[in-house]
Amino acid sequence: MLDAYLSQRLDGFVKQLQAISATLVVFNPRLEISAAMRPGAPNVIERSRSLRFADKDLGSLHLVLPSKTPHNAEAITEQMEAFSLQLAALLSTPHPSSAIELDQAMDKLSRSNARFHWCGVYRIEGEKLALAAFRGAATPHAVIDRNHGICGAAVRENRTLNIADVNEDPRYLSCDIRTRAEVVVPIRNQAGEPIGEIDIDSHSVGAFSPSELFELEELAGELSKLMLK
Ligand code: SME
């Protein structure tokens, strides 16, 4: 089930790249090689990245772009990096039964509001928070210690933290220099204890309204059911 979903996501990304004559090769034992690689061909830009989640090495991604690409090669490389981390999170999840729904929920959430530039869901795994799914730029904080960051504080305090300006908050762990506001909403079990959280970053100061916070708390309730199944 999860493998079929991963292939589907991979096909979607490869189709997007084909539109600009780029190709992607993924080396991972579970995923089939998706396109023919042309290593060393003239007039191409090649970018390779390892497919990693936390300390797990899951293979690699290889992107081949025509050097006359109509789009900015850096922007496409950034997309590949984000996609690579999304795949790595799905490939290494210890909770495959809810992984697809969480991934789709983050996709929907990120499309629901133009100010939601990064949307992710973390799960509590012992003393750590592990990124289960996200949309937006690749983050260096795929795993966060419960004692660190705004993400850690929201879990420790078991309450929503709406940070109007992250530059004013010394707890903030930076993932993207464009981020100005962040909201973290705990996801709780039936006993009211946190089991994870929704994290949203925005490029706008004070991005999150009271009605949006209310909706996000409702979403946290729905995600809780998925995460507990
Ligand atoms: N900013 C968060 C870290 C996660 S990234 O935003 C994706 C924090 O301060 O905990």
Side-chain angles (χ1 to χ4, degrees), residues 1-228:
M1 185 77 168
L2 182 55
D3 283 16
Y5 181 72
L6 289 170
S7 298
Q8 198 186 312
R9 287 234 36 216
L10 195 54
D11 286 349
F13 189 60
V14 166
K15 281 209 182 84
Q16 216 178 303
L17 292 173
Q18 276 167 352
I20 53 158
S21 302
T23 55
L24 180 78
V25 182
V26 179
F27 294 102
N28 171 271
R30 270 166 68 185
L31 303 172
E32 287 189 16
I33 290 177
S34 61
M37 187 169 55
R38 298 171 295 160
N43 307 318
V44 295
I45 301 168
E46 296 180 29
R47 300 280 161 82
S48 296
R49 296 287 185 276
S50 57
L51 188 58
R52 284 183 73 81
F53 190 81
D55 51 1
K56 282 186 227 112
D57 194 353
L58 304 158
S60 63
L61 270 85
H62 194 96
L63 177 72
V64 185
L65 282 165
S67 56
K68 286 202 182 107
T69 178
H71 296 260
N72 178 317
E74 293 317 309
I76 297 160
T77 307
E78 258 182 47
Q79 279 181 34
M80 176 186 75
E81 279 169 358
F83 183 70
S84 158
L85 184 58
Q86 288 167 18
L87 275 189
L90 289 168
L91 279 165
S92 60
T93 182
H95 306 277
S97 61
S98 56
I100 298 174
E101 281 118 319
L102 290 178
D103 192 67
Q104 289 171 333
M106 290 307 103
D107 196 57
K108 191 172 166 198
L109 185 61
S110 69
R111 292 171 196 275
S112 72
N113 191 316
R115 276 175 287 107
F116 293 1
H117 295 103
W118 192 93
C119 297
V121 55
Y122 285 87
R123 260 184 195 276
I124 298 179
E125 310 275 2
E127 288 308 301
K128 307 269 184 206
L129 292 158
L131 189 57
F134 76 99
R135 289 295 181 276
T139 172
H141 305 295
V143 179
I144 303 173
D145 191 289
R146 276 173 80 133
N147 293 315
H148 290 152
I150 293 161
C151 287
V155 158
R156 288 196 311 279
E157 296 174 24
N158 193 6
R159 67 185 179 101
T160 294
L161 294 180
N162 178 20
I163 312 300
D165 186 350
V166 293
N167 293 343
E168 303 287 320
D169 194 318
R171 298 170 298 183
Y172 174 64
L173 298 172
S174 174
C175 130
D176 184 330
I177 50 163
R178 293 168 293 188
T179 297
R180 294 303 308 275
E182 175 163 19
V183 65
V184 183
V185 181
I187 299 171
R188 303 181 177 94
N189 62 14
Q190 279 154 349
E193 295 149 354
I195 55 168
E197 60 191 22
I198 301 168
D199 179 11
I200 305 180
D201 293 347
S202 176
H203 301 171
S204 312
V205 171
F208 307 104
S209 69
S211 67
E212 284 163 355
L213 295 190
F214 180 78
E215 283 169 20
L216 290 170
E217 280 168 1
E218 299 247 292
L219 176 63
E222 287 168 32
L223 298 188
S224 163
K225 288 180 213 144
L226 287 179
M227 289 168 80
L228 290 167

